[in-house]
Amino acid sequence: MTSSLEAEAARLRLPPGFQIKAFDSVGSTNDEAKALSRSGAPEGTIVWARRQESGRGRRGRAWTSPEGNLYSTTILRPGLPPAEAAQVSFVAALAIAETAESVLPDPGGVRCKWPNDVLVHDRKLSGILLESEPAPDGKVAWVVLGVGINLRHFPPTADYGATSLIAEGAPPMGPGSLLEVYAGHLAAWYGRWRAHGFGPVRDAWMSRAKGLGGPILIRLADRTIPGTFADLDSDGVLLLDPTDGGPRQRIAAGDVFFAPPPTDPRPSDS
């Protein structure tokens, strides 16, 4: 029997080469996509769910997944070494940023926060989680690109304040309509990256970069480093000029913090 979500998915207008596997509920869309990847599902397969029972973000953090937001994971097969395949996170951030810009009344409030967050008026809108598996030749066999976009709900507490598209003034829409917009931008940016490399992606990301040239804190597993966000290297690594005057550092992984955003009186389920 076809579920209502599967019926809705069949009506979505997707870019060429994209197809959807729709579920009312899954543990996580990434786990479902990994199983499909291992069984040979083609590039462009999108796993879409109304809700996740065990959603997660970077470093195993829980990702709250109430019904009403967009939860999707896209299977990609770029055939690249792991370090290059990781650039998909910037591709995804641009796709999310352009999706937000296309539906919000103030597109100028959209910014990208290293390494892979998208902010609206300094509040977190989305989460990105990349997972992959190696191929025998040392490249990746596949990448699953998990994306959660806060459409209607957002967590009331977070290390960095959160928001949703509806709370920021987007017109009423369902997750399916948002998925159509996002998939179109993802296909466009993924195509540019595959055809022209990281350069155009880096340029577009830098034009939206939050905090470039200003003070930041980098939280690593064992310490926190204050400094200046100097640049983004040609491979996506953050370049930090430490406050103590030490040599410029390449930061490949870590959490970035700025000044805390102002207290937001809006309810979390706006």
Side-chain angles (χ1 to χ4, degrees):
M1 181 177 178
T2 301
S3 72
S4 60
L5 190 67
E6 288 175 317
E8 181 181 354
R11 295 191 296 269
L12 295 183
R13 294 163 296 178
L14 297 175
F18 282 70
Q19 60 181 348
I20 288 186
K21 301 285 188 181
F23 301 86
D24 285 321
S25 177
V26 295
S28 82
T29 56
N30 265 35
D31 287 346
E32 199 71 36
K34 287 191 288 186
L36 289 168
S37 297
R38 292 177 182 126
S39 65
E43 180 171 78
T45 301
I46 299 174
V47 176
W48 174 34
R50 289 190 196 276
R51 58 188 177 275
Q52 299 180 110
E53 304 302 331
S54 306
R56 63 185 185 278
R58 292 174 59 238
R59 303 188 181 183
R61 297 167 180 145
W63 182 266
T64 305
S65 306
E67 190 168 329
N69 290 342
L70 175 59
Y71 313 110
S72 72
T73 299
T74 305
I75 297 172
L76 301 172
R77 299 183 180 275
L80 295 170
E84 289 182 66
Q87 295 168 2
V88 168
S89 66
F90 292 91
V91 171
L94 289 176
I96 296 167
E98 289 192 350
T99 297
E101 289 165 352
S102 71
V103 301
L104 290 176
D106 178 19
V110 178
R111 291 288 180 269
C112 293
K113 173 178 174 282
W114 190 90
N116 56 15
D117 286 337
V118 176
L119 311 178
V120 179
H121 296 130
D122 292 340
R123 295 177 174 89
K124 183 171 178 173
L125 176 70
S126 62
I128 298 170
L129 178 62
L130 291 186
E131 295 182 281
S132 63
E133 197 163 88
D137 62 2
K139 298 178 180 179
V140 294
W142 44 259
V143 174
V144 295
L145 167 60
V147 165
I149 301 178
N150 297 335
L151 173 57
R152 186 166 300 278
H153 311 285
F154 61 92
T157 58
D159 284 346
Y160 203 83
T163 192
S164 70
L165 290 173
I166 298 297
E168 297 294 337
M173 68 178 69
S177 297
L178 187 65
L179 178 56
E180 281 187 330
V181 179
Y182 162 70
H185 289 298
L186 176 61
W189 275 110
Y190 184 71
R192 290 187 193 109
W193 176 63
R194 297 296 288 127
H196 305 292
F198 188 57
V201 173
R202 178 187 177 277
D203 291 346
W205 190 95
M206 289 285 281
S207 72
R208 298 173 174 86
K210 167 69 177 176
L212 182 63
I216 59 174
L217 292 173
I218 300 285
R219 182 185 294 171
L220 306 178
D222 58 347
R223 66 192 189 282
T224 298
I225 309 173
T228 298
F229 181 3
D231 204 351
L232 188 71
D233 215 340
S234 59
D235 56 359
V237 168
L238 185 146
L239 299 179
L240 182 77
D241 289 336
T243 302
D244 64 10
R248 177 168 289 184
Q249 297 190 25
R250 282 172 46 89
I251 307 295
D255 291 319
V256 172
F257 292 91
F258 310 99
T263 301
D264 190 349
R266 297 168 297 178
S268 63
D269 59 352
S270 299

